[in-house]
Amino acid sequence: MKKLTVRIHAELEIPNDWEIVELEGGVQVLKIGDQFVDFDIAPLATSSSEADATWSDEDEALTERILDAVTGLETELTEVAIH
């Protein structure tokens, strides 16, 4: 068995009325109107090596195998004002 570390860094330019809030239990999420948005890992797969291949999570068995292998996941939201 091996251990794989995946680091994903994303930056979004968001409207001023979207905000980071902390839910009960200390989980930080993005609040958009009356909806709460969390970010998670979503594995996508394809059977093609072509540059324009279509990637999806339609293979539910493969997606489940990958997600079952996740032993830890941490999400950190940081808001930075743009001037």
Side-chain angles (χ1 to χ4, degrees):
M1 194 60 83
K2 299 184 258 186
K3 186 170 199 158
L4 171 68
T5 300
V6 177
R7 295 187 200 283
I8 299 173
H9 176 91
E11 293 183 4
L12 291 75
E13 289 188 9
I14 62 172
N16 289 331
D17 61 333
W18 294 12
E19 61 182 322
I20 298 171
V21 297
E22 189 170 308
L23 300 180
E24 293 180 28
V27 176
Q28 281 189 324
V29 296
L30 186 60
K31 185 169 190 248
I32 303 172
D34 62 351
Q35 297 286 320
F36 299 102
V37 178
D38 193 9
F39 295 87
D40 201 345
I41 185 171
L44 303 176
T46 186
S47 56
S48 172
S49 62
E50 299 297 320
D52 62 347
T54 300
W55 293 81
S56 77
D57 60 355
E58 291 177 358
D59 186 338
E60 292 179 18
L62 178 59
T63 299
E64 189 170 323
R65 281 181 58 202
I66 295 167
L67 293 178
D68 284 347
V70 175
T71 59
L73 182 64
E74 181 180 318
T75 304
E76 179 182 329
L77 302 178
T78 305
E79 187 175 308
V80 177
I82 300 174
H83 300 285

